[in-house]
């Protein structure tokens, strides 16, 4: 059985339903226009379907994943 791939970054959906994967450490801000305009540190931006709250939740989950450590050593 093939294991489902987990992504290390957050996956968002553009307005044309294409999926994009972004490094959430590079997000500078999110504007609500009413869609979410994700502005990156390099000045590029992406308009996505997810709400600001969803983007924040995905970012928190990502950060928990990469900053967690195993206690079963």
């Amino acid at each position: 059985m093939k294991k489902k791939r987990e992504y290390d970054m957050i996956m968002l959906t553009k307005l044309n339903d294409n999926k994009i994967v972004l490094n959430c450490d590079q997000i500078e801000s999110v504007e609500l226009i009413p869609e979410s305009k994700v502005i990156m540190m390099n000045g590029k931006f992406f308009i996505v379907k997810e709400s600001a709250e969803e983007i924040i939740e995905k970012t928190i989950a990502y950060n928990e994943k990469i900053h967690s450590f195993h206690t079963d050593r």
Side-chain angles (χ1 to χ4, degrees):
M1 180 184 295
K2 194 172 187 179
K3 186 176 179 181
K4 184 179 177 184
R5 177 172 162 83
E6 292 186 30
Y7 292 94
D8 295 331
M9 296 187 274
I10 62 172
M11 182 179 291
L12 302 174
T13 310
K14 294 169 69 173
L15 296 181
N16 63 2
D17 289 326
N18 286 343
K19 299 287 186 183
I20 57 171
V21 180
L22 296 177
N23 181 342
C24 60
D25 291 336
Q26 296 298 309
I27 296 175
E28 184 174 321
S29 62
V30 178
E31 292 180 16
L32 306 176
I33 58 172
E35 299 86 3
S36 297
K37 180 179 180 180
V38 180
I39 304 168
M40 308 302 286
M41 290 182 148
N42 64 3
K44 292 183 180 182
F45 65 88
F46 302 93
I47 309 294
V48 298
K49 291 183 174 184
E50 288 80 5
S51 68
E53 291 81 10
E54 289 174 292
I55 296 168
I56 291 167
E57 288 173 7
K58 288 178 181 232
T59 300
I60 290 169
Y62 165 78
N63 283 317
E64 286 175 349
K65 181 179 172 183
I66 64 165
H67 294 296
S68 66
F69 60 94
H70 299 284
T71 58
D72 58 347
R73 294 180 186 193

